[in-house]
Amino acid sequence: MVRKTLYVEGSPNLENGDLRKAFNTLLAKELEGNMPRIVMGKGKQQTVDKFLTTPMDNNEVRFLLVDSDSEMPVKNERKEYGEFNASKPNRVTNSVSANTFFMIQEAEAWILSQPDVLKKEGLKNLSYNRTDLTRIPNPSDLVGRIYKDNGRNYHKVRDFTCLFPLLDTGKLKSTFTDFADLIEALKQ
C-alpha cells in the first residue's frame, strides 16, 4: 500500500495554533479517506531539506507544498525544482513538477481569494484588488493590514489556523492551479 507524505512550509510549534491540523482540515474536504501524512517543516528551506533528505519509508510517495514568495511561471518553466535539488546533493528524492507545489505567493493569498471567510471572522473594510491574487507581494502583510484596519492584530499562526479551514476547496481549485494540481496528485 502506498503511503503519501506531504511536507508543508509552516511552524510545527503548537503554542499559537496547530498549522498541521488546519491543513489537515482543509485537505480532508477533498481527500477524506485518502489523506496524506502531513509534516510541518518550519521555514521554506528547512521544509525543502526535510522533503529531500528525510529517509524514506517503504512505499512512500512524497509531496512538497511551500510558499513561492514571488510570482511563478507556468509549471513547465519553473526553475525552482532544479534549485531545490541542487541545494541537497545527498537527497533521497527529487523535486519535480509532479510532486512540488506552491502557495503563490503565500497561503494568505488563498484566504484573500475568499473575502467571505474574512467577513465570517468579523472583518470589514476589505478593500484590495482581487483580480490577480498571485501577483500580490507578501499577502500576509495585506491580511495584517486588513486586521489592523479593523482594530485587531493578525497573528500568522493563531489567526491563520482559524481562517484556513473555512476556505472553500472548490473555489481554491478554480482560482489556484497549484492547489488543484496538488489535490489531483494526492488523489492518485
Side-chain angles (χ1 to χ4, degrees):
M1 181 175 177
V2 174
R3 183 173 160 201
K4 298 173 188 163
T5 305
L6 174 62
Y7 287 81
V8 180
E9 177 181 350
S11 175
N13 189 329
L14 301 176
E15 72 185 45
N16 292 308
D18 189 341
L19 287 175
R20 191 191 67 71
K21 183 177 178 185
F23 274 93
N24 190 69
T25 302
L26 180 73
L27 294 174
K29 294 176 185 181
E30 294 285 330
L31 302 170
E32 192 66 48
N34 195 19
M35 287 293 292
R37 180 174 69 101
I38 297 173
V39 176
M40 301 309 296
K42 289 192 176 184
K44 183 176 185 175
Q45 193 56 53
Q46 292 163 309
T47 306
V48 170
D49 290 352
K50 285 180 182 181
F51 168 78
L52 294 173
T53 64
T54 301
M56 292 186 77
D57 293 335
N58 290 338
N59 300 320
E60 180 182 1
V61 178
R62 286 191 181 166
F63 300 91
L64 176 65
L65 180 63
V66 293
D67 292 343
S68 66
D69 299 320
S70 63
E71 291 182 54
M72 295 292 287
V74 293
K75 238 177 161 60
N76 62 353
E77 295 177 12
R78 294 178 181 171
K79 62 186 183 337
E80 285 76 9
Y81 314 121
E83 291 171 356
F84 292 164
N85 293 333
S87 73
K88 288 292 177 189
N90 61 334
R91 62 191 177 275
V92 297
T93 192
N94 290 316
S95 169
V96 296
S97 64
N99 67 9
T100 303
F101 305 91
F102 294 91
M103 297 176 276
I104 303 171
Q105 298 194 23
E106 298 173 304
E108 280 83 359
W110 296 3
I111 292 168
L112 290 167
S113 74
Q114 297 180 28
D116 53 317
V117 168
L118 293 166
K119 289 176 184 172
K120 285 179 187 173
E121 284 296 305
L123 299 166
K124 300 172 185 146
N125 307 321
L126 303 179
S127 59
Y128 59 92
N129 184 350
R130 296 181 190 116
T131 54
D132 190 354
L133 296 165
T134 64
R135 293 177 176 235
I136 296 173
N138 304 314
S140 59
D141 291 347
L142 178 53
V143 173
R145 185 187 55 106
I146 291 168
Y147 268 72
K148 190 171 192 146
D149 289 350
N150 284 273
R152 295 165 59 185
N153 290 319
Y154 176 66
H155 189 279
K156 199 159 169 57
V157 175
R158 182 192 64 233
D159 295 311
F160 181 89
T161 58
C162 293
L163 296 168
F164 204 62
L166 302 175
L167 295 173
D168 179 316
T169 56
K171 290 179 183 177
L172 284 178
K173 288 191 299 185
S174 66
T175 306
F176 298 96
T177 56
D178 269 61
F179 182 76
D181 292 346
L182 171 66
I183 296 300
E184 219 28 64
L186 289 170
K187 282 184 176 180
Q188 296 178 12

